Structure formats: structure tokens, C-alpha cells
Amino acid sequence: MVMRADDMIDRRRLRRKLTFWRVLAILIAAIAIAAASMWIYGDEVGTSASHIAKVEVTGTITEDEDLLDRLDRIRKSPAVKGVILSIDSPGGTTAGGEAIFDAVRRLAAEKPVTAQVGTLAASAGYMIATATDHIVARKTSIVGSIGVLVQYPDISGLMDKLGIKLEEIKSTPLKAEPSPFKPTSDAARDMIRAMILDSYDWFIGLVESRRPLTRSEVVALADGSIFTGRQALQKKLIDEVGGEQEAVAWLVSKGVDDKLKVIEWKPKSGSATSLLLGSSLGKIVGRVLGVPDYGDELIRKIGGERLFLDGLVSLWHP
């Protein structure tokens, strides 16, 4: 049977269409696999070659499970030869700082780790910096604010003016103390102060163990004071003034190849607090101000995350 010219043309068109859709399907599958890998493994994709890992610690510090997991993956990665911890934080919860401090110490036991301070490394932010073996800060960076605090409102005066009373029945006098609904009792004040002083003593011990300072020297600096990078260098709170270039140079002095690239290991996703702010409060404020696309960033900038901090806090912010 002789095939007609029209049939041959139709068959060739059909083959071209099939080839096109097959190639498209393969491309879509490849993109899907790459996207899934990026979601699951974060910035590890494409970092199988030897490199210097960079991790950013920014904003209000909490017990960030994603950051802790990232630090652990960096510790286990044979491709990572050195680590730069880029810190720009006013601090946050004391327990959050402690968790990250411990994770950095585990990492530093296996790989050289240096901290590079940006604008600010105060309170829990400075606590984390001391976990590294070398601290670099800008001459005008803000460093210090060693201390612990607990803050809570007292709206009892407002309740009196509004004629509102709080009735409560509790097992012991110190249960649920301090309370924002009544003036703080002396017993409650003593309890909170004892807890703060214990954590403060622990914080001082960390700095003493990690910096070339005696305990008396740390105590003299740990009155909540903040310092510029230049002042911090004189007081031995940091090791060097500079930026990423100086941080890399220190890693090279510890045996890291100076030809290695610095690759940032990014978080998989935002924190739960950031998601909450971004999806609700941030968008509402953004719409009110006429900048809906920047609402969540605006809330973060003005310190909205700090509204969600519980427990002991190591934080500095004017």
C-alpha cells in the first residue's frame, strides 16, 4: 500500500507534537524534583563542592528549630570546611540564645567557626557570638548588653479607673505571679529577681569561659552597657575589627583553603512568628498605611516579633 503525501505529512506533524510534549514533560519533572530538593534540603543543593558555609542570625532570637537543624547539617556536611556566623541581632529569649550557643559549640568542635557582627550583636546575640572561636565586628557595630531581664505590664491602675476587678483562687500565693492585673508583691519580686540573678550568673560564666577575661573583668562589663566595635576590641569582647574578608582570612589561618567560595545556607522557610505576622497583623497594618506588600516587613522592623517573647529575655533595643 502506497502512503499518500498527506498522510506522511500528518504523521511527521504528530511525531513533532509528541516529541515536544515529551520534552516538556521531562522539563516539568526536572523542575519539580529540583524545587522539592530545595524545599527539603534548603541551600544544600549545589553545595557538594568544598566551600565555606555562611549562616545568618538576624532579628529577634528564639529557639529556632530550622536554624538549629541547619547548624547540625553544616556540622555533618563533609563539603563544609569552615563556617562564618553572620550576626545582626538585638538578642531575644535567653533560652533561645542558649540553644543556639550549644549548637555552635558542637559545630566549632569539628570545624573552624568565626562570628562576623554586622550592625548589632547584643545580649543573646552577643552570647551566640561568644560560642565561636573568633569574633569580627565593624568599628561602628554595637556589641555587649550582657544581662537578663523579665518585663511585664501592670494595668491594675487602669482596671481601677474602669471599675474592673480580678477574682482568683489559687493553690499558693506565688502561683501565676507576677500578674499584670495587680501590683507585684514583695515575695513575687524576690522570686523573679532570684531567677534573673541565677541566669545572669550563668551568662557571665559563659562570657568568662569564652573570652580572654577574668570573672571580675566580665562583671565590670556586664552592667548592660553597649560598646562600639572599637571599644569592644579594647575590652576584649571581640578579636578583630572588619567584615567578611577578615572572617575568611581567619579561617584561612586555621587551614581552610583560601580559594573556597563562601556559600550562604539559607532557611527553608520563615519562623512561625514571622508567618503569623506576615499573614495577619503585618498585612493589616500594611493596608492601613497603604503599603500592603511591605506590611509584614514593617512589623518586623518596628519590633513586632518581640511582642511574642516569653520567659527570661536577653535583649537590647532603645
Side-chain angles (χ1 to χ4, degrees):
M1 175 177 168
V2 179
M3 185 176 293
R4 293 184 305 166
D6 289 345
D7 293 335
M8 292 178 65
I9 293 171
D10 289 340
R11 193 170 285 189
R12 285 173 182 170
R13 285 175 179 167
L14 182 59
R15 282 177 184 163
R16 289 196 196 102
K17 288 180 180 179
L18 287 173
T19 302
F20 170 78
W21 288 112
R22 283 171 182 164
V23 171
L24 184 61
I26 292 171
L27 286 174
I28 291 172
I31 292 170
I33 292 170
S37 298
M38 286 295 292
W39 184 79
I40 295 170
Y41 299 108
D43 203 47
E44 286 182 84
V45 177
T47 60
S48 57
S50 295
H51 65 281
I52 295 170
K54 180 178 178 180
V55 180
E56 290 194 349
V57 179
T58 60
T60 305
I61 290 167
T62 57
E63 197 160 347
D64 188 336
E65 292 298 331
D66 179 87
L67 175 58
L68 296 174
D69 176 66
R70 216 178 328 149
L71 291 172
D72 194 50
R73 287 187 282 117
I74 289 172
R75 179 179 64 83
K76 295 175 181 177
S77 173
V80 176
K81 304 304 179 183
V83 182
I84 297 174
L85 210 62
S86 179
I87 301 173
D88 193 351
S89 170
T93 65
T94 308
E98 177 189 355
I100 299 170
F101 177 95
D102 290 342
V104 174
R105 287 310 305 147
R106 287 191 294 271
L107 174 58
E110 300 184 26
K111 305 174 191 286
V113 183
T114 178
Q116 178 211 335
V117 178
T119 301
L120 179 65
S123 295
Y126 179 69
M127 179 193 299
I128 293 168
T130 65
T132 70
D133 293 320
H134 190 79
I135 304 176
V136 179
R138 297 290 183 187
K139 294 174 184 176
T140 55
S141 296
I142 296 174
V143 179
S145 187
I146 300 168
V148 182
L149 75 151
V150 170
Q151 293 179 321
Y152 52 91
D154 179 0
I155 62 171
S156 57
L158 177 62
M159 292 173 64
D160 290 340
K161 289 182 180 179
L162 296 176
I164 300 172
K165 291 190 349 180
L166 174 72
E167 297 287 349
E168 66 178 4
I169 300 171
K170 53 186 181 179
S171 56
T172 54
L174 290 178
K175 179 65 178 174
E177 291 287 342
S179 168
F181 304 116
K182 61 183 179 180
T184 306
S185 67
D186 290 339
R189 204 175 294 275
D190 290 342
M191 173 187 69
I192 297 299
R193 180 164 181 78
M195 185 174 65
I196 289 173
L197 290 178
D198 181 70
S199 294
Y200 176 62
D201 182 69
W202 167 80
F203 195 167
I204 287 175
L206 281 188
V207 178
E208 179 191 4
S209 67
R210 298 299 308 149
R211 301 302 306 162
L213 295 165
T214 65
R215 186 171 185 83
S216 60
E217 288 174 326
V218 177
V219 170
L221 297 171
D223 60 355
S225 296
I226 53 174
F227 309 97
T228 65
R230 297 201 318 161
Q231 292 173 319
L233 180 63
Q234 293 175 350
K235 297 178 185 300
K236 302 178 184 178
L237 291 174
I238 69 170
D239 299 291
E240 187 179 5
V241 292
E244 186 172 299
Q245 184 176 349
E246 286 71 20
V248 171
W250 180 83
L251 291 174
V252 171
S253 74
K254 294 300 176 181
V256 176
D257 188 344
D258 61 355
K259 296 181 178 61
L260 294 184
K261 290 183 178 180
V262 176
I263 298 178
E264 182 183 348
W265 284 52
K266 297 180 180 179
K268 294 178 185 176
S269 59
S271 66
T273 301
S274 298
L275 289 173
L276 174 63
L277 291 171
S279 62
S280 55
L281 184 58
K283 289 184 179 179
I284 292 171
V285 172
R287 288 194 186 101
V288 170
L289 298 179
V291 286
D293 292 339
Y294 302 100
D296 57 334
E297 178 67 12
L298 176 65
I299 288 294
R300 190 186 66 79
K301 288 290 187 183
I302 64 176
E305 286 180 329
R306 299 184 192 98
L307 298 174
F308 295 86
L309 296 182
D310 290 322
L312 291 168
V313 175
S314 293
L315 180 71
W316 175 87
H317 207 281

